[in-house]
Amino acid sequence: MFVRNCWYVAGWSDEFTIGSPQARTIIDQPIVLYRTPEGDLVAMEDRCVHRGAPLSAGRCEGSALRCLYHGLKFDRTGICVEIPGQEKIPDRARVRTFAVEDRHGWAWLWMGNAEAADTALIPAATGIDNPDWRMGRGEEVFAAEYNLLNDNLLDFSHLSYVHRNSFKADEKWATERPTVTVLDRGVRVQRWIANAPAIASARDLGGTPVDTWSSYEFLIPGILLMETTFCSLGTAEASDFGPPVGGILRENRSSQAITPISARSTRYLFCIGSRASDASPEDADATAAVARMAFLEDRAMIESQQEILDKSPGFAPMPTTADKAIVHFQRIMKRLSSVAG
Amino acid sequence: MFVRNCWYVAGWSDEFTIGSPQARTIIDQPIVLYRTPEGDLVAMEDRCVHRGAPLSAGRCEGSALRCLYHGLKFDRTGICVEIPGQEKIPDRARVRTFAVEDRHGWAWLWMGNAEAADTALIPAATGIDNPDWRMGRGEEVFAAEYNLLNDNLLDFSHLSYVHRNSFKADEKWATERPTVTVLDRGVRVQRWIANAPAIASARDLGGTPVDTWSSYEFLIPGILLMETTFCSLGTAEASDFGPPVGGILRENRSSQAITPISARSTRYLFCIGSRASDASPEDADATAAVARMAFLEDRAMIESQQEILDKSPGFAPMPTTADKAIVHFQRIMKRLSSVAG
Amino acid sequence: MFVRNCWYVAGWSDEFTIGSPQARTIIDQPIVLYRTPEGDLVAMEDRCVHRGAPLSAGRCEGSALRCLYHGLKFDRTGICVEIPGQEKIPDRARVRTFAVEDRHGWAWLWMGNAEAADTALIPAATGIDNPDWRMGRGEEVFAAEYNLLNDNLLDFSHLSYVHRNSFKADEKWATERPTVTVLDRGVRVQRWIANAPAIASARDLGGTPVDTWSSYEFLIPGILLMETTFCSLGTAEASDFGPPVGGILRENRSSQAITPISARSTRYLFCIGSRASDASPEDADATAAVARMAFLEDRAMIESQQEILDKSPGFAPMPTTADKAIVHFQRIMKRLSSVAG
């Protein structure tokens, strides 16, 4: 049901401080993450081999982690190196470890076999740590399966309805269709919204008639890398409806990660902001606040949708032409789900 | 498990105001109800054909309803009349509608095929809107299957025990058996409780020795239509133990509806009161308050009973002679359950 | 899944006062307990034969119990002796009763057939009512299966880790192995912890270097009978590592009962204290407070362990040499589970 061979965002890198093990559940797997004295991230199953106790309730000892139920100690590769009161340590006394990487302000976890983890596959997110961009951040947990969040982000026609109060998006977001390009591990969605009020994440531009260039990649398992460029009227046509050539008033970026906790619980992390040269920290916080309001609107909608779907065992969606990116993305997910992890 | 071909009470008619869609779950089906500008009630599946979003989170536009996820619009017959950004509307883009009727202060919903809905089958409740009666009202949600509530109302022997504090019912309610008449879609239960203190819903008569005529119909799926007539001593005999002939001190009526939300959740709506000529609005509220106290006593008992039954998979009830109406009613329910809806 | 042929602790004897029926769920069975005017404990299924209503919501009438739903009355042997309004009482109108005994301050319930109940099998606990010992008491409910609590008490190596803050137990509890003796219905676990700080339940001795004699029996279904004797340094050797011969500074006793409520809920009752000649009531309360803090540490660990195990269907524990008592005890439980109850 979950794709294993991909990088999931386990959290913000700064959530994991030296010597402080943290529990996370990702695709229904209990994981413990901790940072060694050298600053390296370690991720392993949050389950002592002895009796299944949580290693996340344990104690960091140097780069090792001691279970605080009966004292078994594991090195950073997951191998048990001490059983108090017992000399012989069985070969099977090892905990599975996971490949984990700090990148773009996030801790990325490869849930498949660690040997197959290829850091080149980590999406090139514009992160909270990027000096060129001034990002605010936020997160929410949705009581819904993660595919419903992915579907939401793959079809921005909902902006005109779900986010009429937060983003104040024009109807054109619903009535005009983007160009969808299929990528190896996701899709690219691009469009101009010409001559319409700028959405509210444009800060002081919000409501001003502009040409808006919206371009994003949505990559497995649920990573959104978005740029939204607000341009003066006429820029769309002057750019021949390709990426904007001049006329730029404001550039926004947002990186968003959908991380399944379990079948009906999903963590949603996001950062959003403008060029650092063009925004103060207060601007970034204000933009993030608008986004947070929007994502609470999404949460209300999606949690209700989930409740309804759970009461509707035979329900099959009826795709519209707005669902092109969803259809392609689901196809990619299906292909990758069938690969053993 | 649920009877479909019958009228369920979806709520009080005044809960449904023009332009304000409301979600209700009835027999595990998500339903949206709204009132058109003309005042007509509309009921349809609360599930957009597109991706299952809640139409109850949508927006009334005239007599139509627009889904506020991606903007699909449905007319009052459930047919999709607009998909933003798409010209062709598929034939399957329609939402199931239900027959619904305002009657006796309640909104009645036929959960079977709308074509089979016969308004002549709506029980002749004495409603909150009846000018001849001064009714107070109330409602509760019970965490129990609705059959346990029906059983409760089909056997008033529980009055002497469960309602010894609220109604202050005499032991005769438990020790004397009513006459049970089988009807086409329910049962009629009638009796005299002669020479016993009037129950507390008799207001200022409460506790006075009276002859009480209790007569009710209990109709599928769980509609109680009751009259309780408090008479001077000797009236039972003078009336030859049939309906009271003279001697009437006070007449009460109560209409009650048991509406299953889901397998373990049930809504209980009731109104109760006396003749308008004989009662002030304050009297009606006071009578409803006594009834509410009684129904909270029922709720405590029934929710505990449900917990016990859920731990007792092999349990079979042991009927007593007080269960005659229950046995007949269950037989009718079983017969009607087997009819496709 | 549960052993039936054994004595479970249903509660403290003083929880059951005359005329006040109490509900308890034990091994997923709803039970009502009440005390007759003569002071005898009665236990029966908490489920009226009529429609499954809770008898615990009923009313004691002499030594009988009346259901307060429809008034059926049961004598102390579970036989229905009255159905209001009905002369004939069917033979099947009887509620199963259980053997129940007040002993050592606890109410013990035999969950198998009452005829097989042998009071000689009630463990010889040092109870709250024992005049020679000054005991404090406490209890907690754990959201975990009871076997995890049993495992916890069968291996005290966890003291050094889980209880480093409450009992302040030395590492020797983890690194040294006790002697385990297999009994007919449990195990005996004995050891000296020589020359180590006394654990905090030793009151004013806590932290003083002592030789500690720890000896306990752990009996089915989960009854711990423990003595902990704090001795002057050298006593272990002078006693040839058998039970202490002289040198005794303080003697503690503790009796603890693990009672399964349901598959994922367990009640844990305990009393702990010192010789009455050696402790005030305040001392007993202080000792119980330390124990309570320790058992909350256990609860946090075990509830997390349960959550992890529930996400790990294929997990098999990897026993260590500290698990000897667990392995033997589980074998006894398995043998007794296969006996019909």
Side-chain angles (χ1 to χ4, degrees), chain C residues 147 149-158 178 180 186-187 189 191 216-219 224 322-330:
Chain C
N147 287 320
L149 283 80
N150 283 356
D151 293 350
N152 174 278
L153 290 172
L154 283 158
D155 174 11
F156 275 15
S157 73
H158 78 277
V180 175
V187 292
V189 180
R191 68 162 95 188
Y216 65 86
E217 293 187 0
F218 195 80
L219 305 172
L224 178 86
D323 292 347
K324 195 170 169 184
I326 295 179
V327 170
H328 284 297
F329 188 78
Q330 287 178 344

Side-chain angles (χ1 to χ4, degrees), chain C residues 21-267:
Chain C
Q22 302 286 326
R24 294 286 178 275
T25 301
I26 299 175
I27 63 168
D28 240 354
Q29 305 284 305
I31 309 280
V32 55
L33 293 108
Y34 67 96
R35 203 174 285 284
T36 69
E38 298 77 35
D40 298 340
L41 260 186
V42 177
M44 51 178 83
E45 283 185 321
D46 189 15
R47 183 173 53 226
C48 182
V49 291
H50 176 214
R51 304 212 146 261
L55 296 176
S56 56
R59 178 169 67 204
C60 287
E61 299 188 359
S63 64
L65 182 59
R66 185 185 298 277
C67 179
L68 284 181
Y69 200 172
H70 303 98
L72 277 70
K73 182 173 162 184
F74 300 88
D75 73 14
R76 60 179 291 174
T77 71
I79 293 175
C80 180
V81 293
E82 186 188 333
I83 300 176
Q86 177 170 335
E87 271 189 40
K88 189 173 156 34
I89 296 175
D91 285 345
R92 62 168 283 211
R94 56 169 63 206
V95 172
R96 182 183 170 191
T97 55
F98 296 86
V100 60
E101 288 285 324
D102 285 302
R103 199 74 66 91
H104 318 306
W106 277 333
W108 300 80
L109 203 50
W110 181 269
M111 294 299 296
N113 289 325
E115 308 85 60
D118 179 357
T119 56
L121 293 175
I122 294 177
T126 302
I128 200 83
D129 63 342
N130 189 315
D132 297 334
W133 296 85
R134 187 92 67 201
M135 298 286 207
R137 67 162 113 173
E139 64 180 275
E140 296 293 336
V141 172
F142 284 34
E145 57 171 313
Y146 82 119
N147 287 320
L148 297 186
L149 283 80
N150 283 356
D151 293 350
N152 174 278
L153 290 172
L154 283 158
D155 174 11
F156 275 15
S157 73
H158 78 277
L159 264 67
S160 310
Y161 305 104
V162 178
H163 303 315
R164 65 200 181 282
N165 292 323
S166 54
F167 286 142
K168 303 187 198 305
D170 190 81
E171 290 236 327
K172 285 182 181 170
W173 290 88
T175 54
E176 298 182 8
R177 297 283 178 265
T179 303
V180 175
T181 310
V182 180
L183 308 175
D184 195 38
R185 293 171 79 85
V187 292
R188 181 179 297 122
V189 180
Q190 294 179 308
R191 68 162 95 188
W192 279 98
I193 299 292
N195 193 11
I199 59 175
S201 55
R203 292 178 11 232
D204 49 301
L205 287 182
T208 313
V210 292
D211 285 3
T212 302
W213 170 247
S214 167
S215 172
Y216 65 86
E217 293 187 0
F218 195 80
L219 305 172
I220 65 146
I223 308 295
L224 178 86
L225 309 181
M226 178 165 66
E227 47 185 72
T228 311
T229 312
F230 304 95
C231 304
S232 51
L233 291 176
T235 306
E237 194 165 0
S239 306
D240 205 14
F241 297 96
V245 179
I248 294 176
L249 302 172
R250 166 91 25 87
E251 290 172 274
N252 273 12
R253 288 234 179 134
S254 183
S255 299
Q256 305 181 13
I258 304 299
T259 302
I261 297 169
S262 62
R264 286 290 179 274
S265 179
T266 302
R267 195 176 178 203

